Amino acid sequence: MNEALPDVPEVRVVGLPQLTSGFDLVERLDLPMHLKVHGPLEPLGGEELASLAEDINLKGRGGAGFPFGKKLRSVAESAIKKGIRPVVVVNGSEDEPACRKDTVLINRAPHLILDGALLVAEAMGARQLVIGVTRESTQRSMEAALAERGLSNRRGSPLRARVQRNPIRMVTGAAASLIRSIDGGPAVPPGRKVSASQAGVGGAPTLLSNAETFAQLAIAARIGPDRYRNTGLYDEPGTVMLTVSGAVARPMVIEVPTGVPLRYVLQLAGAPAMPQGVLTGGYHGKWLDAATVNEAIVSRDSLAAVGGALGAGAILPITQETCPLGESLRVAQWLADESAGQCGPCYLGLPAAARGLADILNGGGPAALEAVKQVAKSVKRRGACSHPDGSAMFIESTLKAFTDDLAAHVLGNGCGRPVEGVLPLFEDGQLPLSIMGGQSEQETGPSRQKIFVDWTLCRGHGLCADLLPEVFELGADGFPTVAQAPVPRFAEAKALRAVRRCPALALRIEEDTRGSSPSRNNLPVLSQGRGRRALGSGR
């Protein structure tokens, strides 16, 4: 199994370094070394800073890709309108197991990030700066950098600056979670969607952006927009920081100009010459199949055009020797575990999607596939944060990218390949127990029950689809779209409930005993007719 990535893996650069300048000289650029490498930085006015960000088309590097200049203007306008000084927040909460680029920058070049944050704070008249982190190493490095600059959180300071340490959780990195924790609450989304630009820390307009974004702004402010645009693509100039792991010989963080072929980045990290697929953008990202990988180049728009995503800058190839659905199931189960537990689409939907994906791998057939698709569709745009949306996108991309393997599992006996665990998870993460044989199959083993619809009795009440969405979906006529389907093991209790509550007594369950002996944990075996009536009387 792939081991967890260290906080600071190997760092490489393609072309001339910008963010990683000086990394060949020292392990960490303290303030004197930072100034020797990058030189002094003159302050800029608010309009100058916004224009600079727009000239270089700077977008957030945390995943969402929101235009930084637009965000800066929005915060400034809100602060003026309300008569409140804004707050600046650096989001260094890098909580995906496959992402380390912000952690590398905070550990090795913290002053470059502070340069950008302080430029913004001075331009907008902010009196509070908070840097959000989740790791001990990043906390130490950033606190040392603040001390080297003489910045503190003391009352009366012209700029109060501090580090906010939160637990390592996927939802911790959400902007709303970080703001809530800064205000003294838990580091989870508040359950309501409020723009930080309008009301963030303490209700004040807040400019919150990713650590790399502030570092890129500092580089552009030093060298100017013309020189900055000389690197990379015309419409997406500059460099990007990527974390490359998965099935590679040398996991690394690499700074590359936009426009570099993705296959060249993979080659540098020692990826297979013909990977089965490449996950782009991290665990809220999208898969590229083997044929598309050779067409892809590193940029937000270019990756999106071929079905991928830049996202949080994580690139993860897998080999031809591993089961891609099994690899994805490991991630899907981790994503489900990372739920804040505050809203149904996340707390209930993501575990249901992971169980459905496990059911596909364990012989659930077309019904299991349709159930996964339905669950993934139902959780999107309904959560308190972006976690269910990103997780659903990952699952949908998995089903789209690996159609041959999907067909082998849905229509046959599986792809026959093991799950190697090449996608990194945290050290306490476990293989999905249903894949590697470490768990009882009571909930995740192959289905042994089938549910049937008796069309002579069905009246289209639709209750079955409400109680058992993993199996039943209603057609345009209001009737179930399947006449019979396997019951996923995790849904057996719900299937029994659906049979009992069907107003027309049109459902029955039978045991499929082919190839195995009956299990004492199975649902009652019902014969046609008499069994339907007996269960129906128990409503």
Side-chain angles (χ1 to χ4, degrees), residues 497-511:
R497 191 178 304 120
V499 171
R500 286 172 171 167
R501 295 184 180 179
C502 176
L505 305 179
L507 300 177
R508 74 177 189 275
I509 294 175
E510 293 183 3
E511 184 176 14

Side-chain angles (χ1 to χ4, degrees), residues 12 15 29 87 92 142 268 283 291 350 376 404 437 461 510 525 527:
R12 298 283 297 274
L29 279 74
V87 178
M142 191 54 76
L268 285 176
Y283 295 159
L350 297 189
D404 289 345
H461 293 96
E510 293 183 3
V525 180
S527 60

Side-chain angles (χ1 to χ4, degrees), residues 9 84 136 146 165 167 180 192 194 218 220 299 303 316 326 391 395 411 458 469 484 499 510 537:
I84 303 175
E136 183 180 354
L146 292 177
R165 171 85 179 272
R180 190 179 185 186
R192 63 187 187 281
V194 179
S299 85
L303 284 171
L316 301 107
S391 302
I395 291 172
L411 303 177
C458 182
Q484 58 177 289
V499 171
E510 293 183 3
S537 64

Side-chain angles (χ1 to χ4, degrees), residues 260-267 278 280 288 293 296-298 303 315:
V260 168
L262 180 59
R263 64 178 180 274
Y264 180 66
V265 173
L266 296 172
Q267 180 182 350
V278 176
T280 59
L288 296 180
V293 168
I297 64 174
V298 177
L303 284 171
I315 306 295

